Amino acid sequence: MHAALTERGHDVLSAVEVAPRASDDELLAMALAQQRVLITEDKDFGELVFVRRLPHPCIIRFTDMPRAEKVAAMLDLIERHEEDMGESTMIVVTRNRVRIRHGTG
């Protein structure tokens, strides 16, 4: 997904490259401070947002999708829902559904 987004002019950082040992809390804080959208498959970010109510940027979580489908879904999400990708938003993308929750956390 990194390459597909970069090729289309998006400023993309990979946690593996930038902060490979960072905790989820640290990644969340880093993305918020840098005003980045955090893209993940990790459901633990839901706990940070809904249970611990941590401030956060837009988080996009993909579930149960092969890589090629995730890339296509992300590009479609940008095309159709870029205006929904504001701070404190959680977006969950599955094969059949996009769920957007504003003001989470």
Side-chain angles (χ1 to χ4, degrees):
M1 184 172 317
H2 187 282
L5 292 172
T6 301
E7 288 170 4
R8 286 165 178 80
H10 298 282
D11 179 17
V12 180
L13 293 177
S14 168
V16 173
E17 296 168 3
V18 175
R21 300 195 191 289
S23 68
D24 289 348
D25 293 51
E26 292 168 328
L27 291 173
L28 196 65
M30 185 185 318
L32 182 62
Q34 296 179 17
Q35 299 182 328
R36 293 186 176 273
V37 173
L38 192 149
I39 302 170
T40 187
E41 295 176 354
D42 189 345
K43 65 182 178 182
D44 293 338
F45 285 99
E47 178 181 332
L48 298 177
V49 169
F50 297 111
V51 177
R52 294 183 46 203
R53 307 195 68 68
L54 294 179
H56 61 90
C58 176
I59 299 172
I60 300 173
R61 180 173 170 253
F62 287 93
T63 64
D64 302 322
M65 296 169 72
R67 178 184 295 253
E69 284 184 36
K70 287 177 197 167
V71 171
M74 185 67 216
L75 296 175
D76 185 62
L77 193 63
I78 292 169
E79 177 83 19
R80 295 174 187 242
H81 298 286
E82 187 171 12
E83 70 281 355
D84 290 313
M85 294 183 193
E87 191 172 306
S88 299
T89 300
M90 173 69 88
I91 301 173
V92 178
V93 181
T94 66
R95 281 185 159 164
N96 303 315
R97 184 175 177 196
V98 173
R99 185 177 55 198
I100 301 171
R101 293 181 64 182
H102 296 283
T104 56

